Amino acid sequence: MDKKIMHGARYIDLREVKADGDDILIVGGGGREHAIVKKLRDGSGVGEIYGAPGNAGMDVIETGIGATDIDGILDFVSTHDNIKLTVVAPDDPLSMGLVDKLVAAGFRAFGPTKAAAKLEWSKAYAKAFMKKYGIPTADYGAFTDIAQAKAFAENSEMPVVVKADGLALGKGVIICNTKAEAFAAIDEIMQDKKFGAAGNEVVIEQFLTGYEVSLLAFVDGKNYKLMPTSCDHKRALDGDKGLNTGGMGAYSPCPAFTESLLETTVKTIVEPTVDGMIREGAPFKGVLYFGLMVDGETPRVLEYNARFGDPETQSVLPLLRTDLYRIFNATIDGTLDNIDIEWSDKKSINVVLASGGYPLGYKKGCEITGLDKLDNSVDVYFAGVTRGENGFKTNGGRVLCVHSMADTFAQAKKQAYDNIAKIEFDDCFYRKDIGKNLN
Ligand code: AMP
Ligand code: GLY
């Protein structure tokens, strides 16, 4: 125990390494990555799991290598022969071509190529793709010129949604009720470069009404397997008030989303997307996330993500009954059609505990207590934590999430919230209304 190995200039902890099984490197270090790691460990054939960077609560060997340190990751994989798979979970390294680079160097990697991940890292590309293949989405215009963007807004019916083209931590989306707001949003994104180079182009689109659902699928290039639907809660405060966050909790499945809606989604959105990417010469391999707005019987695409969602994954993956390592391998090998993927029909929910002030400024280094008092009706997925004197200390905005599942949402919620009440750290806050109207 507590051996240390050297990587580059950094020492990393090395716990007892299992003799058999393939080692895996997971890129990322949040609750989503913890949920992936836990599922991988539930299956067979997995040896040690390393994190780039991982976090203190994730039960991985933390390498100290950042998720966007592409050279560091390549170097680590090439000097650790037993790493048989690298799982790239976050958007940034995907957009930087990490999967392409690993594959070119002869390593196995789970996640889309840079060209396929463009569905996420360029909203203008995603919109043009949907238009080309007749995939339902809001009408839009895309502009690299400020005057043209403003002229389009001037002639649009309000409200509109102004979006930075590139990755902006989910923050580059501004809903505008008046033309003055739309002009201001265009200036913020394109002139003031509030989201940096992500704002070199803007998408201006029609405001859609309805409710939001996340639908995730494993896609192996040509075959796909859907996961249960889920719902994220993006605003910081109860009643969908406050600022947009990375997500304050989620549940799965989404009861409002009927079988007939699912059929429509598959026919009008999922299949045309998978087929369209083949035609574009960029077949999608990995997890494809459809962010949908549902209006009556009509689902439309709000956004694509080229990866697992956070915190949806912390509710969806616990329902998985099939070996995740097998699914990852089948996705890479293009053999998803050969495996049946089974899901529990339990109701699943997770609630994020965050540091006061998040998504703006917050304190770090607060001791987390009460984790030893939790009963076994819940699991904890760690995100912004580091080691403390007696356990963990806070180290980020979203600190951890508590997950529970049961035969009913009512029971799952009770289990989650009863246990959350036992956890304490300075300025801790969480939403009390995750899955509020569900029974
Ligand atoms: P996006 O990153 O494009 O998914 O946008 C983030 C959030 O903004 C979505 O989850 C929606 O809540 C909202 N949003 C984005 N586009 C639209 C739209 N066209 N109409 C209404 N709301 C939208
Ligand atoms: N939960 C939304 C996302 O992962 O982008």
Side-chain angles (χ1 to χ4, degrees):
M1 297 289 266
D2 260 4
K3 283 177 278 181
K4 298 215 172 217
I5 60 169
M6 182 81 159
H7 170 68
R10 295 170 287 252
Y11 278 102
I12 61 177
D13 290 332
L14 183 63
R15 294 162 305 126
E16 217 92 65
V17 175
K18 287 179 200 156
D20 52 1
D22 298 343
D23 291 356
I24 294 178
L25 174 68
I26 179 139
V27 178
R32 164 184 57 200
E33 287 77 7
H34 190 182
I36 294 169
V37 164
K38 180 159 189 300
K39 260 302 147 183
L40 285 169
R41 287 198 195 286
D42 283 352
S44 58
V46 174
E48 194 48 88
I49 303 183
Y50 297 84
N55 72 53
M58 242 170 87
D59 191 22
V60 294
I61 299 177
E62 294 171 78
T63 61
I65 302 169
T68 55
D69 180 357
I70 305 295
D71 290 341
I73 291 167
L74 281 163
D75 178 45
F76 190 79
V77 173
S78 45
T79 50
H80 289 74
D81 288 347
N82 202 35
I83 293 183
K84 300 292 189 252
L85 174 69
T86 300
V87 178
V88 186
D91 50 8
D92 281 324
L94 290 170
S95 75
M96 294 162 79
L98 177 56
V99 169
D100 312 52
K101 288 177 183 161
L102 284 164
V103 170
F107 303 113
R108 276 171 86 74
F110 180 85
T113 59
K114 178 176 180 175
K118 195 167 184 181
L119 282 179
E120 173 166 9
W121 60 258
S122 170
K123 289 184 190 292
Y125 173 81
K127 294 297 283 189
F129 171 85
M130 287 186 267
K131 192 169 177 183
K132 180 169 173 186
Y133 293 99
I135 296 165
T137 187
D139 290 339
Y140 82 106
F143 306 93
T144 51
D145 177 86
I146 298 184
Q148 283 177 10
K150 287 187 176 169
F152 182 85
E154 177 64 44
N155 293 316
S156 298
E157 221 175 282
M158 296 295 125
V160 291
V161 186
V162 179
K163 303 182 176 185
D165 171 58
L167 297 177
L169 296 170
K171 294 186 183 127
V173 172
I174 306 172
I175 294 170
C176 306
N177 289 306
T178 64
K179 288 178 184 171
E181 283 174 18
F183 295 161
I186 292 165
D187 281 337
E188 260 179 47
I189 294 174
M190 301 187 84
Q191 192 169 294
D192 308 343
K193 292 276 191 266
K194 192 168 169 196
F195 309 104
N200 290 347
E201 188 167 5
V202 284
V203 165
I204 303 176
E205 67 179 34
Q206 172 205 7
F207 179 79
L208 298 176
T209 53
Y211 64 91
E212 288 182 48
V213 175
S214 306
L215 177 65
L216 282 67
F218 296 104
V219 184
D220 72 0
K222 54 187 189 303
N223 307 293
Y224 64 87
K225 297 273 169 153
L226 300 177
M227 303 185 212
T229 53
S230 52
C231 277
D232 186 4
H233 296 61
K234 289 199 171 95
R235 299 293 198 97
L237 307 174
D238 285 10
D240 289 330
K241 304 253 163 46
L243 295 172
N244 259 323
T245 70
M248 294 297 293
Y251 60 80
S252 174
C254 176
F257 201 76
T258 58
E259 272 301 312
S260 98
L261 267 166
L262 187 62
E263 269 174 42
T264 306
T265 304
V266 164
K267 210 165 76 206
T268 63
I269 295 172
V270 177
E271 291 185 345
T273 302
V274 174
D275 293 345
M277 290 308 282
I278 295 172
R279 289 190 205 183
E280 293 303 297
F284 192 99
K285 282 191 179 196
V287 170
L288 185 50
Y289 168 130
F290 302 88
L292 306 175
M293 182 71 92
V294 182
D295 184 10
E297 285 301 301
T298 309
R300 294 187 180 85
V301 178
L302 282 178
E303 64 165 343
Y304 291 111
N305 290 325
R307 53 174 174 80
F308 281 108
D310 189 335
E312 288 96 328
T313 304
Q314 296 92 302
S315 277
V316 171
L317 274 191
L319 296 170
L320 179 64
R321 284 182 164 159
T322 306
D323 188 328
L324 185 60
Y325 188 38
R326 227 182 114 216
I327 298 174
F328 281 171
N329 280 320
T331 302
I332 293 168
D333 295 336
T335 56
L336 267 183
D337 52 335
N338 290 342
I339 53 174
D340 285 325
I341 300 183
E342 285 182 44
W343 300 93
S344 160
D345 55 13
K346 289 208 185 309
K347 314 300 178 206
S348 186
I349 182 163
N350 74 79
V351 180
V352 171
L353 276 63
S355 304
Y358 173 76
L360 303 175
Y362 50 81
K363 274 201 293 205
K364 287 185 183 178
C366 307
E367 200 187 333
I368 305 169
T369 60
L371 292 169
D372 52 337
K373 300 196 182 75
L374 306 184
D375 64 45
N376 58 14
S377 69
V378 294
D379 277 315
V380 175
Y381 295 113
F382 290 98
V385 300
T386 184
R387 282 188 188 81
E389 291 76 54
N390 308 306
F392 296 121
K393 291 189 299 194
T394 64
N395 192 39
R398 291 190 295 174
V399 173
L400 55 87
C401 79
V402 173
H403 168 262
S404 187
M405 56 189 185
D407 290 336
T408 63
F409 276 115
Q411 182 64 22
K413 280 189 284 186
K414 182 170 174 7
Q415 290 168 181
Y417 281 110
D418 283 355
N419 279 286
I420 286 170
K422 303 173 192 170
I423 303 175
E424 286 183 27
F425 54 86
D426 274 2
D427 295 346
C428 168
F429 84 97
Y430 57 89
R431 279 183 63 162
K432 317 271 187 312
D433 66 343
I434 305 299
K436 185 172 177 219
N437 297 318
L438 305 178
N439 298 301

